[in-house]
Amino acid sequence: MSVLTQAQTTAADVASGPGKGTRILRAFRATPFTYATLTVVSALLSVPLVFVVSIALSSDETVNANTFTVLPHEFHWENFVRVFGTDLPMGRFLLNSVLISVGAVVGQVLSSGLVGYAFARLRAPGKNVLFMVVIATMMIPAQITMIPQFLLFKELGWVNTFLPLIVPNFFSNAFNVFLVRQFVSRLSSDIDEAAMVDGLGFFAVYWRIMLPMLWPILIAIGIFTLTHAWGDFMGPLIYLNDESKMPLSLGVQYITSTSQALQAPPWNSVMVGSILLTVPMIAVYYFGQRYLYEMDISGGSAGVK
């Protein structure tokens, strides 16, 4: 009876209009001042990127004289072609980055989706304790496990191969598992139960029913993993010794070592390599931003829209 009275009182307050104890959500409307502020802030944040492009388009004379300008006054587009004609195999560096990044993304997407779904749906003794242990691993700094991991991969004979950079991703990541678990836990379990009544097993339910609904969160995980793997510098520096196996993140650093003693590094070529590292990530975030919005782990409804 009290619940009914409270509901009637609330309905009466809403019908009578805004008053004491009521909250009105008003839509934000952008003004010309808002757009002007966003334009100014965006211009300021774009200055480093514009400076990188200006240096990349500079001539060798400008590099030797160290007379760079923020806004480009030279347009030597041939620098983007000439960088592949240096003594360093830049084309090979770029291909290695693609191979490592794609392998890492595939591993994280496959493992994180399956492990996160298992933590959300399987019923097993100690499941919550095990999940807390997995989450606790996020508090361990990567520097602590760096040496044990190197010794392990050395015993396996994986040093100077792509395996240490790709295989660990097939064992998931604590943060990605948490994202998938939270996403799945917001979905109705009636979907799984109805599929199991029809005769589907655990893996069949995941592959045929849940996986299509998990695409937003899995694509978001793929974007996060690709960003890390594409720009990773420490991992390849530790495990890769052969120049032909190094990714572009190391290749850009190696361009600076091609300069002779007491001579300025070819900063135009270095900035061209930096642009090659940056542009793919900008494109990935541009085309994948809708999935980042749809991820919405608080509501968990992105997969059923």
Side-chain angles (χ1 to χ4, degrees):
M1 185 66 180
S2 59
V3 175
L4 180 59
T5 304
Q6 183 179 1
Q8 292 174 349
T9 304
T10 304
D13 293 339
V14 174
S16 61
K20 185 178 180 181
T22 61
R23 296 180 59 187
I24 303 299
L25 297 179
R26 302 183 183 276
F28 176 78
R29 294 183 179 180
T31 63
F33 176 76
T34 304
Y35 289 109
T37 303
L38 292 176
T39 301
V40 172
V41 173
S42 300
L44 292 176
L45 295 178
S46 300
V47 169
L49 182 59
V50 174
F51 195 28
V52 168
V53 175
S54 177
I55 298 176
L57 297 176
S58 300
S59 62
D60 293 338
E61 291 76 13
T62 302
V63 172
N64 295 329
N66 198 22
T67 56
F68 302 116
T69 58
V70 176
L71 296 177
H73 64 278
E74 298 176 300
F75 298 91
H76 293 273
W77 298 101
E78 66 273 9
N79 292 343
F80 288 85
V81 178
R82 189 179 61 177
V83 72
F84 291 94
T86 59
D87 295 335
L88 295 176
M90 293 299 296
R92 186 64 186 179
F93 291 160
L94 186 60
L95 179 61
N96 292 339
S97 294
V98 173
L99 294 177
I100 294 173
S101 301
V102 171
V105 169
V106 171
Q108 281 292 342
V109 169
L110 292 178
S111 58
S112 298
L114 189 59
V115 175
Y117 174 67
F119 272 118
R121 287 293 192 258
L122 285 184
R123 300 175 182 175
K127 181 188 69 173
N128 294 331
V129 175
L130 181 59
F131 180 71
M132 295 302 298
V133 172
V134 173
I135 296 300
T137 59
M138 297 173 58
M139 297 184 292
I140 302 176
Q143 292 79 4
I144 293 179
T145 59
M146 188 178 298
I147 294 178
Q149 282 184 349
F150 178 81
L151 296 177
L152 174 62
F153 293 142
K154 182 179 179 181
E155 291 296 325
L156 295 174
W158 289 3
V159 176
N160 201 28
T161 66
F162 293 157
L163 295 179
L165 306 175
I166 296 177
V167 172
N169 292 282
F170 284 85
F171 294 89
S172 190
N173 174 280
F175 180 70
N176 295 337
V177 170
F178 171 77
L179 290 180
V180 176
R181 179 187 179 273
Q182 294 302 107
F183 190 93
V184 175
S185 63
R186 298 292 181 175
L187 299 177
S188 176
S189 59
D190 295 341
I191 303 174
D192 308 49
E193 296 173 358
M196 291 181 178
V197 169
D198 291 339
L200 295 181
F202 175 78
F203 290 100
V205 171
Y206 171 75
W207 185 259
R208 299 175 60 179
I209 306 298
M210 299 302 299
L211 188 60
M213 294 190 290
L214 292 178
W215 272 121
I217 187 68
L218 293 181
I219 291 178
I221 290 174
I223 292 175
F224 299 150
T225 305
L226 180 63
T227 303
H228 175 266
W230 183 264
D232 186 21
F233 180 83
M234 185 61 67
L237 182 65
I238 294 175
Y239 296 110
L240 299 179
N241 302 322
D242 193 351
E243 184 180 282
S244 62
K245 297 180 180 178
M246 293 180 180
L248 187 60
S249 55
L250 276 183
V252 172
Q253 188 274 336
Y254 264 64
I255 296 178
T256 61
S257 64
T258 60
S259 59
Q260 299 178 359
L262 302 179
Q263 183 180 1
W267 292 118
N268 49 1
S269 298
V270 173
M271 295 306 164
V272 169
S274 300
I275 292 175
L276 293 177
L277 273 173
T278 305
V279 170
M281 294 300 97
I282 295 177
V284 167
Y285 272 93
Y286 177 78
F287 291 105
Q289 59 182 332
R290 61 183 293 262
Y291 297 102
L292 297 178
Y293 293 137
E294 290 181 1
M295 185 174 63
D296 189 16
I297 61 174
S298 61
S301 59
V304 293
K305 289 181 179 179

